[in-house]
Amino acid sequence: MQNQANLYAELADYYDQFCAEVDYAGQCAFAVRVFEAFACSGGRNYLDLACGTGQHLQVMAQSGFVAEGLDNSAAMLAQARSRCPEARLLLCDLAAFDETQCYDLITCFLYSIHYSHPLAHFADTLKRAWQALKPGGVFIFNVVDANGARQQHSVVTRVQQGDAQLTFRSGWHYQGHGDVLDLRLSITRTGTGQSQTWHDHHVMTATTLSDLNTQLQFLGFDVTLLEHDYDRLTPWAGHSFNAIVVACKPVV
């Protein structure tokens, strides 16, 4: 049976299984290393953009940060609230949060920055992150260059749920022009002689690392691009299409 559904609403209960292979602890440990290497704001107030079910929030709180999360899905935030009852949670779009010099660290993992669409909203998200950081604060996020999105293959994750098997598929699709980056998702649940499949589609923003670097520097950020490797801090060599962005707000 084929169904249309929203992974971040109707299918929110499946999200953690969909991300079963994500190393949340490793990403957070990386963020802490970057923070210690780049930040000089004097505090540990932390905001996770597109926080989902709160996996990053939980680990960062355990690492001594005062954690807050933002997401536009009430269903996802309900799970985050259960996981991190001490965290302040904000229900709004990435391009709509309105904080001023509150945070020492802001993160946006799992390529979620691309959810700010269209390009004007993407620019607003970068601007709001600038405004929300304290001087000396750091904004960390990962991105895919649109030129590389055309070469991406689908990612498949399979997990066992009781007598049923869940198969998750996701993949980017970029037509080679414009600012639309499509993310297509499907979940198939097979078991007890029955099979159900849900499909979901998200319109994301396509950008290039060059254009992104220009936008961030225009806002005033000091920008460092790192290879997409959470095990070490390696400067981006300019060849890969995936990168981790470290955007620092200078101390005036």
Side-chain angles (χ1 to χ4, degrees):
M1 182 169 60
Q2 304 281 328
N3 296 291
Q4 291 293 327
N6 187 318
L7 176 66
Y8 307 122
E10 300 103 306
L11 302 179
D13 289 343
Y14 290 117
Y15 183 80
D16 285 341
Q17 293 165 299
F18 179 75
C19 296
E21 296 180 0
V22 175
D23 184 5
Y24 289 97
Q27 292 179 2
C28 289
F30 174 88
V32 172
R33 292 198 303 274
V34 171
F35 179 78
E36 292 174 346
F38 288 88
C40 58
S41 54
R44 295 177 77 85
N45 291 329
Y46 165 64
L47 174 66
D48 187 29
L49 299 178
C51 68
T53 62
Q55 297 261 32
H56 291 112
L57 291 177
Q58 184 178 42
V59 178
M60 293 300 282
Q62 292 168 351
S63 299
F65 287 83
V66 179
E68 299 185 17
L70 178 152
D71 204 282
N72 67 355
S73 167
M76 299 290 275
L77 286 180
Q79 296 193 44
R81 186 170 294 107
S82 176
R83 176 173 276 119
C84 306
E86 74 284 357
R88 176 179 176 237
L89 301 176
L90 308 173
L91 176 63
C92 71
D93 290 332
L94 291 176
F97 73 102
D98 188 17
E99 309 290 331
T100 303
Q101 297 191 15
C102 293
Y103 304 106
D104 304 278
L105 174 63
I106 299 175
T107 62
C108 190
F109 289 114
L110 305 180
Y111 300 102
S112 297
I113 195 76
H114 292 281
Y115 279 104
S116 282
H117 186 82
L119 200 56
H121 286 185
F122 187 90
D124 282 344
T125 298
L126 300 181
K127 181 179 179 181
R128 290 177 185 274
W130 165 267
Q131 294 170 337
L133 280 174
K134 300 175 186 176
V138 181
F139 180 28
I140 307 169
F141 58 99
N142 61 336
V143 290
V144 58
D145 190 297
N147 294 313
R150 286 179 288 180
Q151 303 176 22
Q152 297 290 326
H153 300 286
S154 294
V155 176
V156 180
T157 303
R158 293 182 175 88
V159 296
Q160 198 68 29
Q161 185 190 55
D163 295 331
Q165 184 181 70
L166 295 171
T167 302
F168 304 92
R169 290 181 174 85
S170 65
W172 282 305
H173 298 266
Y174 182 58
Q175 295 183 354
H177 57 85
D179 71 344
V180 174
L181 179 64
D182 289 306
L183 177 64
R184 297 172 187 172
L185 306 161
S186 69
I187 298 176
T188 300
R189 187 178 189 276
T190 305
T192 61
Q194 295 183 336
S195 179
Q196 289 179 289
T197 299
W198 298 269
H199 295 285
D200 197 6
H201 169 241
H202 298 268
V203 176
M204 306 174 82
T205 291
T207 187
T208 65
L209 287 168
S210 176
D211 288 345
L212 176 60
N213 190 38
T214 298
Q215 283 182 282
L216 290 168
Q217 290 184 354
F218 178 79
L219 287 169
F221 282 110
D222 292 332
V223 182
T224 300
L225 297 180
L226 301 177
E227 291 290 347
H228 201 267
D229 182 350
Y230 291 106
D231 291 329
R232 56 189 60 84
L233 275 62
T234 305
W236 183 62
H239 307 301
S240 61
F241 291 108
N242 301 72
I244 300 171
V245 179
V246 179
C248 302
K249 185 173 183 177
V251 176
V252 178

